[in-house]
Amino acid sequence: MKTRARKIILINAVPSFLIALLLSMFLAQGGIAENYSGETFVFPQAFIILGTWFLGLVIGLLTQNIVLSVPIMYGSFVSIYVYFLFF
């Protein structure tokens, strides 16, 4: 049973990582806004999304809990909205 849960978590880790990576890179580079600063990452706080995704992956691999880890990995983009609420 534990190996099946680990396989499910790792299979879901690939597409959820692609979503998290693309979204965080899009937001960090300024999104649709114009970048006048000349820096590559105008909004580096957007990488909180990748940290939340990694936290979901670690929780999943350590606890083998699919119901907890997979929604955290797919819903990692919500962490940027929480960031905007408090800062």
Side-chain angles (χ1 to χ4, degrees), residues 41-71:
F41 300 120
V42 181
F43 183 62
Q45 293 86 351
F47 291 118
I48 292 173
I49 296 171
L50 291 177
T52 307
W53 175 87
F54 184 71
L55 180 68
L57 179 66
V58 169
I59 288 172
L61 293 177
L62 292 178
T63 64
Q64 305 289 321
N65 191 349
I66 300 169
V67 177
L68 179 65
S69 69
V70 172

PDB file of all heavy atoms in Angstrom, residues 41-71:
ATOM      1  N   PHE A  41      14.336  38.938 -12.386  1.00  0.00           N
ATOM      2  CA  PHE A  41      13.229  38.641 -11.476  1.00  0.00           C
ATOM      3  C   PHE A  41      12.836  39.908 -10.733  1.00  0.00           C
ATOM      4  O   PHE A  41      13.502  40.327  -9.792  1.00  0.00           O
ATOM      5  CB  PHE A  41      13.605  37.527 -10.506  1.00  0.00           C
ATOM      6  CG  PHE A  41      13.956  36.242 -11.196  1.00  0.00           C
ATOM      7  CD1 PHE A  41      15.201  35.669 -11.054  1.00  0.00           C
ATOM      8  CD2 PHE A  41      13.032  35.612 -12.006  1.00  0.00           C
ATOM      9  CE1 PHE A  41      15.516  34.495 -11.696  1.00  0.00           C
ATOM     10  CE2 PHE A  41      13.334  34.432 -12.660  1.00  0.00           C
ATOM     11  CZ  PHE A  41      14.582  33.874 -12.501  1.00  0.00           C
ATOM     12  N   VAL A  42      11.750  40.520 -11.167  1.00  0.00           N
ATOM     13  CA  VAL A  42      11.272  41.753 -10.572  1.00  0.00           C
ATOM     14  C   VAL A  42      10.533  41.481  -9.262  1.00  0.00           C
ATOM     15  O   VAL A  42      10.599  42.257  -8.330  1.00  0.00           O
ATOM     16  CB  VAL A  42      10.341  42.490 -11.556  1.00  0.00           C
ATOM     17  CG1 VAL A  42       9.856  43.795 -10.974  1.00  0.00           C
ATOM     18  CG2 VAL A  42      11.051  42.728 -12.861  1.00  0.00           C
ATOM     19  N   PHE A  43       9.865  40.341  -9.179  1.00  0.00           N
ATOM     20  CA  PHE A  43       9.053  39.989  -8.018  1.00  0.00           C
ATOM     21  C   PHE A  43       9.474  38.607  -7.510  1.00  0.00           C
ATOM     22  O   PHE A  43       8.811  37.608  -7.749  1.00  0.00           O
ATOM     23  CB  PHE A  43       7.568  40.002  -8.411  1.00  0.00           C
ATOM     24  CG  PHE A  43       6.627  39.723  -7.287  1.00  0.00           C
ATOM     25  CD1 PHE A  43       6.572  40.556  -6.200  1.00  0.00           C
ATOM     26  CD2 PHE A  43       5.786  38.631  -7.326  1.00  0.00           C
ATOM     27  CE1 PHE A  43       5.698  40.304  -5.156  1.00  0.00           C
ATOM     28  CE2 PHE A  43       4.915  38.367  -6.310  1.00  0.00           C
ATOM     29  CZ  PHE A  43       4.869  39.205  -5.205  1.00  0.00           C
ATOM     30  N   PRO A  44      10.628  38.518  -6.822  1.00  0.00           N
ATOM     31  CA  PRO A  44      11.130  37.206  -6.391  1.00  0.00           C
ATOM     32  C   PRO A  44      10.278  36.538  -5.317  1.00  0.00           C
ATOM     33  O   PRO A  44      10.445  35.348  -5.057  1.00  0.00           O
ATOM     34  CB  PRO A  44      12.537  37.517  -5.877  1.00  0.00           C
ATOM     35  CG  PRO A  44      12.537  38.956  -5.559  1.00  0.00           C
ATOM     36  CD  PRO A  44      11.543  39.589  -6.473  1.00  0.00           C
ATOM     37  N   GLN A  45       9.355  37.259  -4.707  1.00  0.00           N
ATOM     38  CA  GLN A  45       8.475  36.657  -3.709  1.00  0.00           C
ATOM     39  C   GLN A  45       7.571  35.603  -4.323  1.00  0.00           C
ATOM     40  O   GLN A  45       6.992  34.794  -3.611  1.00  0.00           O
ATOM     41  CB  GLN A  45       7.627  37.730  -3.007  1.00  0.00           C
ATOM     42  CG  GLN A  45       8.422  38.673  -2.153  1.00  0.00           C
ATOM     43  CD  GLN A  45       8.977  39.848  -2.926  1.00  0.00           C
ATOM     44  OE1 GLN A  45       8.914  39.904  -4.150  1.00  0.00           O
ATOM     45  NE2 GLN A  45       9.539  40.808  -2.223  1.00  0.00           N
ATOM     46  N   ALA A  46       7.436  35.601  -5.624  1.00  0.00           N
ATOM     47  CA  ALA A  46       6.585  34.618  -6.297  1.00  0.00           C
ATOM     48  C   ALA A  46       7.141  33.212  -6.182  1.00  0.00           C
ATOM     49  O   ALA A  46       6.423  32.243  -6.413  1.00  0.00           O
ATOM     50  CB  ALA A  46       6.407  34.998  -7.765  1.00  0.00           C
ATOM     51  N   PHE A  47       8.405  33.088  -5.812  1.00  0.00           N
ATOM     52  CA  PHE A  47       8.981  31.751  -5.652  1.00  0.00           C
ATOM     53  C   PHE A  47       8.494  31.060  -4.387  1.00  0.00           C
ATOM     54  O   PHE A  47       8.873  29.922  -4.123  1.00  0.00           O
ATOM     55  CB  PHE A  47      10.504  31.812  -5.694  1.00  0.00           C
ATOM     56  CG  PHE A  47      11.027  32.160  -7.058  1.00  0.00           C
ATOM     57  CD1 PHE A  47      11.762  33.305  -7.263  1.00  0.00           C
ATOM     58  CD2 PHE A  47      10.766  31.347  -8.147  1.00  0.00           C
ATOM     59  CE1 PHE A  47      12.235  33.625  -8.518  1.00  0.00           C
ATOM     60  CE2 PHE A  47      11.226  31.660  -9.407  1.00  0.00           C
ATOM     61  CZ  PHE A  47      11.972  32.801  -9.592  1.00  0.00           C
ATOM     62  N   ILE A  48       7.644  31.729  -3.617  1.00  0.00           N
ATOM     63  CA  ILE A  48       6.975  31.086  -2.485  1.00  0.00           C
ATOM     64  C   ILE A  48       6.143  29.908  -2.992  1.00  0.00           C
ATOM     65  O   ILE A  48       5.973  28.909  -2.296  1.00  0.00           O
ATOM     66  CB  ILE A  48       6.083  32.108  -1.736  1.00  0.00           C
ATOM     67  CG1 ILE A  48       6.952  33.154  -1.049  1.00  0.00           C
ATOM     68  CG2 ILE A  48       5.167  31.439  -0.736  1.00  0.00           C
ATOM     69  CD1 ILE A  48       6.174  34.283  -0.441  1.00  0.00           C
ATOM     70  N   ILE A  49       5.673  30.016  -4.205  1.00  0.00           N
ATOM     71  CA  ILE A  49       4.885  28.940  -4.811  1.00  0.00           C
ATOM     72  C   ILE A  49       5.705  27.656  -4.878  1.00  0.00           C
ATOM     73  O   ILE A  49       5.219  26.570  -4.548  1.00  0.00           O
ATOM     74  CB  ILE A  49       4.401  29.356  -6.213  1.00  0.00           C
ATOM     75  CG1 ILE A  49       3.464  30.551  -6.107  1.00  0.00           C
ATOM     76  CG2 ILE A  49       3.734  28.206  -6.933  1.00  0.00           C
ATOM     77  CD1 ILE A  49       3.107  31.174  -7.429  1.00  0.00           C
ATOM     78  N   LEU A  50       6.964  27.754  -5.295  1.00  0.00           N
ATOM     79  CA  LEU A  50       7.819  26.564  -5.380  1.00  0.00           C
ATOM     80  C   LEU A  50       8.128  25.997  -3.998  1.00  0.00           C
ATOM     81  O   LEU A  50       8.217  24.789  -3.825  1.00  0.00           O
ATOM     82  CB  LEU A  50       9.113  26.895  -6.124  1.00  0.00           C
ATOM     83  CG  LEU A  50       8.959  27.185  -7.602  1.00  0.00           C
ATOM     84  CD1 LEU A  50      10.298  27.567  -8.213  1.00  0.00           C
ATOM     85  CD2 LEU A  50       8.361  26.006  -8.318  1.00  0.00           C
ATOM     86  N   GLY A  51       8.289  26.880  -3.017  1.00  0.00           N
ATOM     87  CA  GLY A  51       8.515  26.407  -1.653  1.00  0.00           C
ATOM     88  C   GLY A  51       7.326  25.645  -1.106  1.00  0.00           C
ATOM     89  O   GLY A  51       7.480  24.603  -0.443  1.00  0.00           O
ATOM     90  N   THR A  52       6.137  26.130  -1.393  1.00  0.00           N
ATOM     91  CA  THR A  52       4.926  25.445  -0.947  1.00  0.00           C
ATOM     92  C   THR A  52       4.764  24.117  -1.669  1.00  0.00           C
ATOM     93  O   THR A  52       4.370  23.118  -1.071  1.00  0.00           O
ATOM     94  CB  THR A  52       3.698  26.331  -1.202  1.00  0.00           C
ATOM     95  OG1 THR A  52       3.920  27.609  -0.617  1.00  0.00           O
ATOM     96  CG2 THR A  52       2.455  25.722  -0.598  1.00  0.00           C
ATOM     97  N   TRP A  53       5.080  24.074  -2.952  1.00  0.00           N
ATOM     98  CA  TRP A  53       5.017  22.818  -3.688  1.00  0.00           C
ATOM     99  C   TRP A  53       5.990  21.801  -3.103  1.00  0.00           C
ATOM    100  O   TRP A  53       5.645  20.642  -2.918  1.00  0.00           O
ATOM    101  CB  TRP A  53       5.348  23.045  -5.164  1.00  0.00           C
ATOM    102  CG  TRP A  53       5.403  21.774  -5.929  1.00  0.00           C
ATOM    103  CD1 TRP A  53       4.364  21.141  -6.516  1.00  0.00           C
ATOM    104  CD2 TRP A  53       6.545  20.949  -6.159  1.00  0.00           C
ATOM    105  NE1 TRP A  53       4.789  19.975  -7.093  1.00  0.00           N
ATOM    106  CE2 TRP A  53       6.122  19.840  -6.890  1.00  0.00           C
ATOM    107  CE3 TRP A  53       7.887  21.053  -5.811  1.00  0.00           C
ATOM    108  CZ2 TRP A  53       7.002  18.840  -7.290  1.00  0.00           C
ATOM    109  CZ3 TRP A  53       8.760  20.058  -6.208  1.00  0.00           C
ATOM    110  CH2 TRP A  53       8.306  18.967  -6.938  1.00  0.00           C
ATOM    111  N   PHE A  54       7.211  22.247  -2.805  1.00  0.00           N
ATOM    112  CA  PHE A  54       8.212  21.353  -2.235  1.00  0.00           C
ATOM    113  C   PHE A  54       7.771  20.843  -0.861  1.00  0.00           C
ATOM    114  O   PHE A  54       7.979  19.684  -0.526  1.00  0.00           O
ATOM    115  CB  PHE A  54       9.566  22.063  -2.139  1.00  0.00           C
ATOM    116  CG  PHE A  54      10.664  21.173  -1.661  1.00  0.00           C
ATOM    117  CD1 PHE A  54      11.152  20.167  -2.473  1.00  0.00           C
ATOM    118  CD2 PHE A  54      11.204  21.332  -0.406  1.00  0.00           C
ATOM    119  CE1 PHE A  54      12.166  19.331  -2.035  1.00  0.00           C
ATOM    120  CE2 PHE A  54      12.216  20.509   0.050  1.00  0.00           C
ATOM    121  CZ  PHE A  54      12.706  19.508  -0.774  1.00  0.00           C
ATOM    122  N   LEU A  55       7.133  21.702  -0.074  1.00  0.00           N
ATOM    123  CA  LEU A  55       6.607  21.290   1.222  1.00  0.00           C
ATOM    124  C   LEU A  55       5.550  20.202   1.053  1.00  0.00           C
ATOM    125  O   LEU A  55       5.541  19.213   1.795  1.00  0.00           O
ATOM    126  CB  LEU A  55       6.014  22.492   1.959  1.00  0.00           C
ATOM    127  CG  LEU A  55       5.412  22.235   3.328  1.00  0.00           C
ATOM    128  CD1 LEU A  55       6.511  21.860   4.310  1.00  0.00           C
ATOM    129  CD2 LEU A  55       4.654  23.436   3.795  1.00  0.00           C
ATOM    130  N   GLY A  56       4.680  20.344   0.078  1.00  0.00           N
ATOM    131  CA  GLY A  56       3.676  19.317  -0.199  1.00  0.00           C
ATOM    132  C   GLY A  56       4.298  18.006  -0.623  1.00  0.00           C
ATOM    133  O   GLY A  56       3.850  16.923  -0.231  1.00  0.00           O
ATOM    134  N   LEU A  57       5.371  18.075  -1.423  1.00  0.00           N
ATOM    135  CA  LEU A  57       6.061  16.856  -1.847  1.00  0.00           C
ATOM    136  C   LEU A  57       6.729  16.161  -0.662  1.00  0.00           C
ATOM    137  O   LEU A  57       6.620  14.943  -0.511  1.00  0.00           O
ATOM    138  CB  LEU A  57       7.103  17.187  -2.917  1.00  0.00           C
ATOM    139  CG  LEU A  57       7.917  16.011  -3.443  1.00  0.00           C
ATOM    140  CD1 LEU A  57       7.008  15.055  -4.210  1.00  0.00           C
ATOM    141  CD2 LEU A  57       9.048  16.501  -4.317  1.00  0.00           C
ATOM    142  N   VAL A  58       7.383  16.913   0.195  1.00  0.00           N
ATOM    143  CA  VAL A  58       8.055  16.319   1.358  1.00  0.00           C
ATOM    144  C   VAL A  58       7.037  15.701   2.309  1.00  0.00           C
ATOM    145  O   VAL A  58       7.241  14.586   2.801  1.00  0.00           O
ATOM    146  CB  VAL A  58       8.925  17.381   2.077  1.00  0.00           C
ATOM    147  CG1 VAL A  58       9.404  16.881   3.425  1.00  0.00           C
ATOM    148  CG2 VAL A  58      10.095  17.764   1.204  1.00  0.00           C
ATOM    149  N   ILE A  59       5.934  16.392   2.544  1.00  0.00           N
ATOM    150  CA  ILE A  59       4.877  15.843   3.402  1.00  0.00           C
ATOM    151  C   ILE A  59       4.354  14.542   2.809  1.00  0.00           C
ATOM    152  O   ILE A  59       4.141  13.561   3.517  1.00  0.00           O
ATOM    153  CB  ILE A  59       3.742  16.866   3.598  1.00  0.00           C
ATOM    154  CG1 ILE A  59       4.198  17.992   4.509  1.00  0.00           C
ATOM    155  CG2 ILE A  59       2.496  16.204   4.173  1.00  0.00           C
ATOM    156  CD1 ILE A  59       3.217  19.135   4.604  1.00  0.00           C
ATOM    157  N   GLY A  60       4.166  14.512   1.520  1.00  0.00           N
ATOM    158  CA  GLY A  60       3.657  13.312   0.866  1.00  0.00           C
ATOM    159  C   GLY A  60       4.616  12.145   0.939  1.00  0.00           C
ATOM    160  O   GLY A  60       4.212  11.008   1.175  1.00  0.00           O
ATOM    161  N   LEU A  61       5.894  12.414   0.728  1.00  0.00           N
ATOM    162  CA  LEU A  61       6.861  11.327   0.740  1.00  0.00           C
ATOM    163  C   LEU A  61       7.138  10.820   2.157  1.00  0.00           C
ATOM    164  O   LEU A  61       7.448   9.646   2.343  1.00  0.00           O
ATOM    165  CB  LEU A  61       8.157  11.766   0.061  1.00  0.00           C
ATOM    166  CG  LEU A  61       8.041  12.015  -1.437  1.00  0.00           C
ATOM    167  CD1 LEU A  61       9.366  12.519  -1.995  1.00  0.00           C
ATOM    168  CD2 LEU A  61       7.575  10.782  -2.177  1.00  0.00           C
ATOM    169  N   LEU A  62       7.042  11.683   3.142  1.00  0.00           N
ATOM    170  CA  LEU A  62       7.297  11.249   4.517  1.00  0.00           C
ATOM    171  C   LEU A  62       6.098  10.560   5.155  1.00  0.00           C
ATOM    172  O   LEU A  62       6.252   9.586   5.881  1.00  0.00           O
ATOM    173  CB  LEU A  62       7.737  12.431   5.380  1.00  0.00           C
ATOM    174  CG  LEU A  62       9.105  13.023   5.053  1.00  0.00           C
ATOM    175  CD1 LEU A  62       9.387  14.209   5.957  1.00  0.00           C
ATOM    176  CD2 LEU A  62      10.200  11.982   5.165  1.00  0.00           C
ATOM    177  N   THR A  63       4.897  11.071   4.884  1.00  0.00           N
ATOM    178  CA  THR A  63       3.707  10.522   5.545  1.00  0.00           C
ATOM    179  C   THR A  63       2.930   9.549   4.672  1.00  0.00           C
ATOM    180  O   THR A  63       2.052   8.861   5.186  1.00  0.00           O
ATOM    181  CB  THR A  63       2.755  11.646   5.969  1.00  0.00           C
ATOM    182  OG1 THR A  63       2.279  12.316   4.806  1.00  0.00           O
ATOM    183  CG2 THR A  63       3.425  12.611   6.909  1.00  0.00           C
ATOM    184  N   GLN A  64       3.200   9.520   3.378  1.00  0.00           N
ATOM    185  CA  GLN A  64       2.468   8.677   2.428  1.00  0.00           C
ATOM    186  C   GLN A  64       0.976   9.021   2.406  1.00  0.00           C
ATOM    187  O   GLN A  64       0.144   8.166   2.132  1.00  0.00           O
ATOM    188  CB  GLN A  64       2.650   7.187   2.761  1.00  0.00           C
ATOM    189  CG  GLN A  64       4.069   6.723   2.848  1.00  0.00           C
ATOM    190  CD  GLN A  64       4.745   6.681   1.502  1.00  0.00           C
ATOM    191  OE1 GLN A  64       4.128   6.296   0.531  1.00  0.00           O
ATOM    192  NE2 GLN A  64       5.988   7.071   1.436  1.00  0.00           N
ATOM    193  N   ASN A  65       0.637  10.258   2.702  1.00  0.00           N
ATOM    194  CA  ASN A  65      -0.748  10.699   2.758  1.00  0.00           C
ATOM    195  C   ASN A  65      -1.098  11.418   1.454  1.00  0.00           C
ATOM    196  O   ASN A  65      -0.730  12.571   1.256  1.00  0.00           O
ATOM    197  CB  ASN A  65      -0.949  11.621   3.963  1.00  0.00           C
ATOM    198  CG  ASN A  65      -2.400  11.900   4.229  1.00  0.00           C
ATOM    199  OD1 ASN A  65      -3.266  11.586   3.423  1.00  0.00           O
ATOM    200  ND2 ASN A  65      -2.672  12.489   5.377  1.00  0.00           N
ATOM    201  N   ILE A  66      -1.829  10.729   0.595  1.00  0.00           N
ATOM    202  CA  ILE A  66      -2.190  11.281  -0.714  1.00  0.00           C
ATOM    203  C   ILE A  66      -3.198  12.415  -0.566  1.00  0.00           C
ATOM    204  O   ILE A  66      -3.106  13.437  -1.243  1.00  0.00           O
ATOM    205  CB  ILE A  66      -2.762  10.174  -1.618  1.00  0.00           C
ATOM    206  CG1 ILE A  66      -1.733   9.075  -1.815  1.00  0.00           C
ATOM    207  CG2 ILE A  66      -3.199  10.729  -2.953  1.00  0.00           C
ATOM    208  CD1 ILE A  66      -2.293   7.836  -2.466  1.00  0.00           C
ATOM    209  N   VAL A  67      -4.134  12.240   0.326  1.00  0.00           N
ATOM    210  CA  VAL A  67      -5.218  13.216   0.490  1.00  0.00           C
ATOM    211  C   VAL A  67      -4.685  14.563   0.968  1.00  0.00           C
ATOM    212  O   VAL A  67      -5.254  15.608   0.671  1.00  0.00           O
ATOM    213  CB  VAL A  67      -6.277  12.665   1.477  1.00  0.00           C
ATOM    214  CG1 VAL A  67      -7.367  13.664   1.732  1.00  0.00           C
ATOM    215  CG2 VAL A  67      -6.845  11.365   0.958  1.00  0.00           C
ATOM    216  N   LEU A  68      -3.565  14.566   1.668  1.00  0.00           N
ATOM    217  CA  LEU A  68      -2.987  15.810   2.169  1.00  0.00           C
ATOM    218  C   LEU A  68      -1.987  16.417   1.181  1.00  0.00           C
ATOM    219  O   LEU A  68      -2.018  17.616   0.914  1.00  0.00           O
ATOM    220  CB  LEU A  68      -2.301  15.563   3.513  1.00  0.00           C
ATOM    221  CG  LEU A  68      -1.621  16.747   4.174  1.00  0.00           C
ATOM    222  CD1 LEU A  68      -2.659  17.795   4.549  1.00  0.00           C
ATOM    223  CD2 LEU A  68      -0.856  16.300   5.390  1.00  0.00           C
ATOM    224  N   SER A  69      -1.114  15.596   0.616  1.00  0.00           N
ATOM    225  CA  SER A  69       0.000  16.149  -0.157  1.00  0.00           C
ATOM    226  C   SER A  69      -0.371  16.577  -1.576  1.00  0.00           C
ATOM    227  O   SER A  69       0.107  17.604  -2.050  1.00  0.00           O
ATOM    228  CB  SER A  69       1.143  15.139  -0.213  1.00  0.00           C
ATOM    229  OG  SER A  69       0.774  14.033  -0.992  1.00  0.00           O
ATOM    230  N   VAL A  70      -1.186  15.817  -2.261  1.00  0.00           N
ATOM    231  CA  VAL A  70      -1.510  16.147  -3.653  1.00  0.00           C
ATOM    232  C   VAL A  70      -2.277  17.477  -3.749  1.00  0.00           C
ATOM    233  O   VAL A  70      -1.933  18.311  -4.594  1.00  0.00           O
ATOM    234  CB  VAL A  70      -2.251  14.979  -4.342  1.00  0.00           C
ATOM    235  CG1 VAL A  70      -2.758  15.388  -5.709  1.00  0.00           C
ATOM    236  CG2 VAL A  70      -1.332  13.772  -4.458  1.00  0.00           C
ATOM    237  N   PRO A  71      -3.272  17.744  -2.901  1.00  0.00           N
ATOM    238  CA  PRO A  71      -3.893  19.074  -2.972  1.00  0.00           C
ATOM    239  C   PRO A  71      -2.940  20.217  -2.625  1.00  0.00           C
ATOM    240  O   PRO A  71      -3.053  21.306  -3.182  1.00  0.00           O
ATOM    241  CB  PRO A  71      -5.030  18.999  -1.952  1.00  0.00           C
ATOM    242  CG  PRO A  71      -5.345  17.566  -1.842  1.00  0.00           C
ATOM    243  CD  PRO A  71      -4.040  16.856  -2.033  1.00  0.00           C
TER     244      PRO A  71
END
